Amino acid sequence: MLDTIGTLARLGLAAVWLISGAIKLADPGQTFIAVKAYDVLPQELIRPVATALPLVELVLGLLLLFGLATRWVATVALVLLAVLVAGIAQSWARGLSIDCGCFGGGGQVAAGQTAYPQEILRDTGFALLAVWLLVRPRTLFSVDGWLGWGRQRTTDDTSAGPGSSAPLANRASIAEGKE
């Protein structure tokens, strides 16, 4: 059951990053406007951040989709989400009227058109998915599982399938029917 929950968390977070990154990559000009609207970066860093952000999101999404280096990716995702929540919170605290640009768009909006509490809650929910994967990266249908990463290895495990937690030498014995 926990592996199923982890799989749903992994695939859900993958979808978030893939959708967000694809939308930003499709409209780099709008992504630039969104990053600039936060008014926290020096002018010379706005373009590199606006260029890198969708690429980082897509890489995180693909790694999560395939379940490769899940714990590491969850850590990076959690840090990125913390930065995004901090950016939204500082914009709210400073009285800026911006759309976060988390899923495209972004930039200045009319006073009263902000959705800071909803954006922070949404991103906090995504962060909880990352925390789950950080604590328990084991999921179904993952490259990590196929490689045996993130699993406790014991000598008495008799499972030899992909993602088995049996030691590699033990897997060979099992595959040959010597167990």
Side-chain angles (χ1 to χ4, degrees):
M1 179 64 157
L2 295 178
D3 288 356
T4 301
I5 293 169
T7 303
L8 294 174
R10 178 174 58 85
L11 295 176
L13 199 53
V16 167
W17 292 126
L18 290 170
I19 292 167
S20 176
I23 291 170
K24 287 181 181 104
L25 196 61
D27 193 353
Q30 189 60 48
T31 303
F32 176 85
I33 291 168
V35 170
K36 185 175 180 174
Y38 282 90
D39 195 27
V40 291
L41 294 174
Q43 185 66 32
E44 58 274 3
L45 289 181
I46 295 171
R47 187 160 309 283
V49 168
T51 301
L53 184 59
L55 299 174
V56 168
E57 291 177 345
L58 288 170
V59 167
L60 291 174
L62 288 171
L63 289 170
L64 284 168
L65 180 65
F66 292 106
L68 180 59
T70 303
R71 180 172 276 147
W72 179 84
V73 174
T75 302
V76 174
L78 188 57
V79 169
L80 181 54
L81 285 162
V83 168
L84 295 173
V85 167
I88 295 166
Q90 70 81 31
S91 296
W92 190 10
R94 292 173 50 210
L96 300 178
S97 291
I98 66 170
D99 176 318
C100 74
C102 298
F103 290 93
Q108 299 294 325
V109 295
Q113 295 299 310
T114 60
Y116 296 129
Q118 298 91 327
E119 292 166 348
I120 290 171
L121 284 173
R122 179 200 59 220
D123 288 355
T124 300
F126 296 153
L128 290 174
L129 297 177
V131 167
W132 177 278
L133 294 170
L134 181 63
V135 172
R136 192 172 190 291
R138 196 163 89 183
T139 62
L140 304 171
F141 315 112
S142 68
V143 173
D144 288 347
W146 184 77
L147 294 172
W149 296 356
R151 297 196 184 262
Q152 190 88 13
R153 294 203 171 181
T154 61
T155 56
D156 60 356
D157 191 336
T158 59
S159 172
S164 167
S165 60
L168 293 177
N170 196 20
R171 288 187 204 173
S173 304
I174 294 167
E176 296 171 8
K178 295 179 182 176
E179 186 74 6

